[in-house]
Amino acid sequence: MPQEPVSLATGQRSLADPAIAYPLRPPLTRGCPRTGTADLAYPVEVDYAYDRVPAGLFDQPAGPDLARWAPLLPPLPAPTLGEGGTPLLEACGVYVKDESRNPTWSHKDRLNRVAVSAALTEGAPGVVVASSGNHGASAAAYAARAGLRAIVLASAASPPAVQSFVRAYGADVFSVPVERRWPLMREIVDRLGYHPVSNQTVTHTGHPYGPEGYKTIAYEIFVQLGRPPAAVFAPTGYAELLYGVWKGFAELRRLGVAETAPRMFSCEPAAGGPHARAVASGAPAAIVDLGATDAYAIASPVGGHRGVRAVLDSGGGTVLVTDDELRAAQRDLGREGLWQELSGAAGLAGYRKLGAAFDGPVVCVGTSSGFKDLGVESPRTVEATTFDQVTANLSATPAAGRRG
């Protein structure tokens, strides 16, 4: 058996008050117990012995397997599926970090390598997740790889392709009304001992180790660009991704590896936008009414404090994008060879809508494959048996063209 990578994680610290610290174990999956109220839950984050980070850690190439960043991650006993090391590509006038290249075709693999490792460390019989898409499929895959059971509390409205994806890993999948998912998950945690890898609190806290997996996106972008970008635009649901990427760049600056850190921009559906509401009102987190949107992967009425911190601490901002703006960004990415699900195109849509100029490169995170979208099971096809039928139905819009 290979030796477990060495982690320099030392404990957990409250995002409400950094003076409040806890041991590294158990993971505080219901947020900071000393600062939470009936209306607001504050997350905790993992702290490290930063003075012991080995020199040269960021000199290595950005390849797969998060264990390459083990000193700055919680312990990783769960086996890898080859997550990470995703390409950074020039497209549509920006750099796109294409997270659809992960093992289950989404950024969630980074979170679940870390969260399922926590389940193993805690001796849990399995993991439970409330998800109708990427998170459920990823959690099921990493649980299967680690020899754990998985319960996925999903929605009947989730795409059939995604439901099949989840079941392929042997997970127990249940269709649960939205208002019952979090309460039912808490019961499963409390009565069966399953380890929760998604949220259980009134405002979002999620798994405290989750954003640690997302930090590795920042490490990779830094290695691939050779410098921090000027700005990062990220599709934002609960903002674990946004905060994780911000924390990674903040750590690079703290360690003296980089001199600057990018401005972070949350890109949410205009039908909701709890993080935009919280930032605009000065609140630590917000809950909003959610309207109709096809960007189901990031459609959430519930926000959390992580997204607010990432935006404010980085000097960034919030952007609300419509489904039409998302579709235009998705279409243009496709014409450059990158098929993102509608939610995954939110970064590019947000960058375009903001319309700001930056003194340096801009990175838009593309979170997941277009195979996860609603309606993918019903593609448009044109029948043809003759050359004339082919030429009569050729697309009027050419591809973006070859890059040098």
Side-chain angles (χ1 to χ4, degrees):
M1 294 290 292
Q3 186 177 3
E4 183 179 317
V6 176
S7 168
L8 296 178
T10 58
Q12 300 173 88
R13 193 173 300 279
S14 174
L15 282 188
D17 181 352
I20 301 175
Y22 303 93
L24 183 63
R25 296 178 54 196
L28 298 177
T29 58
R30 293 176 183 172
C32 175
R34 291 171 56 184
T35 59
T37 69
D39 300 316
L40 177 67
Y42 283 98
V44 297
E45 66 173 347
V46 180
D47 202 3
Y48 298 86
Y50 289 105
D51 59 335
R52 293 171 52 201
V53 174
L57 181 62
F58 300 100
D59 294 339
Q60 61 182 317
D65 186 355
L66 296 196
R68 66 182 52 246
W69 312 112
L72 287 172
L73 293 174
L76 295 174
T80 184
L81 282 169
E83 67 290 327
T86 57
L88 185 68
L89 304 169
E90 290 186 72
C92 300
V94 296
Y95 286 93
V96 177
K97 184 64 168 165
D98 186 6
E99 290 293 289
S100 74
R101 310 295 185 92
N102 279 298
T104 73
W105 311 341
S106 92
H107 65 305
K108 292 291 185 180
D109 291 344
R110 297 180 189 260
L111 180 154
N112 280 300
R113 172 74 189 285
V114 179
V116 171
S117 288
L120 282 176
T121 300
E122 296 304 305
V127 300
V128 57
V129 55
S131 169
S132 294
N134 294 317
H135 195 15
S138 177
Y142 278 84
R145 181 72 170 164
L148 298 176
R149 300 189 67 173
I151 295 176
V152 179
L153 308 181
S155 165
S158 63
V162 175
Q163 295 182 33
S164 298
F165 203 8
V166 175
R167 289 187 172 91
Y169 301 119
D172 294 309
V173 184
F174 300 93
S175 179
V176 181
V178 171
E179 67 275 7
R180 279 291 300 152
R181 283 190 212 165
W182 290 357
L184 182 56
M185 186 169 67
R186 289 180 71 122
E187 284 191 75
I188 293 169
V189 171
D190 293 340
R191 300 174 67 174
L192 297 181
Y194 274 55
H195 194 75
V197 295
S198 57
N199 191 52
Q200 303 174 79
T201 53
V202 59
T203 53
H204 191 273
T205 60
H207 200 289
Y209 295 3
E212 305 304 307
Y214 291 141
K215 290 190 315 189
T216 61
I217 294 175
Y219 301 161
E220 292 176 15
I221 291 172
F222 174 77
V223 170
Q224 290 164 323
L225 276 181
R227 55 162 291 184
V232 174
F233 288 76
T236 301
Y238 293 132
E240 292 169 302
L241 169 66
L242 186 78
Y243 183 76
V245 175
W246 165 243
K247 183 177 179 181
F249 281 114
E251 286 179 334
L252 289 168
R253 187 171 58 184
R254 173 177 181 165
L255 292 167
V257 176
E259 295 182 358
T260 62
R263 297 169 64 190
M264 302 295 299
F265 291 85
S266 71
C267 304
E268 300 175 277
H275 296 93
R277 171 78 61 83
V279 170
S281 65
I287 299 175
V288 300
D289 293 328
L290 181 64
T293 174
D294 286 338
Y296 73 95
I298 54 173
S300 175
V302 178
H305 189 53
R306 287 192 184 99
V308 175
R309 286 288 300 274
V311 168
L312 297 181
D313 291 355
S314 71
T318 63
V319 190
L320 297 176
V321 290
T322 66
D323 280 15
D324 285 345
E325 290 164 339
L326 288 166
R327 290 189 185 100
Q330 182 189 45
R331 180 192 63 237
D332 290 347
L333 287 168
R335 288 172 177 167
E336 297 218 28
L338 301 174
W339 189 27
Q340 291 287 317
E341 70 167 313
L342 194 65
S343 299
L348 178 61
Y351 167 71
R352 288 175 164 179
K353 185 162 189 176
L354 188 67
F358 296 92
D359 186 19
V362 171
V363 172
C364 297
V365 181
T367 48
S368 180
S369 167
F371 279 111
K372 311 284 188 69
D373 249 339
L374 296 166
V376 170
E377 66 277 11
S378 303
R380 174 184 176 272
T381 59
V382 178
E383 294 184 3
T385 57
T386 69
F387 179 77
D388 287 345
Q389 288 173 325
V390 170
T391 57
N393 288 282
L394 285 177
S395 172
T397 304
R402 182 177 300 173
R403 292 185 170 273

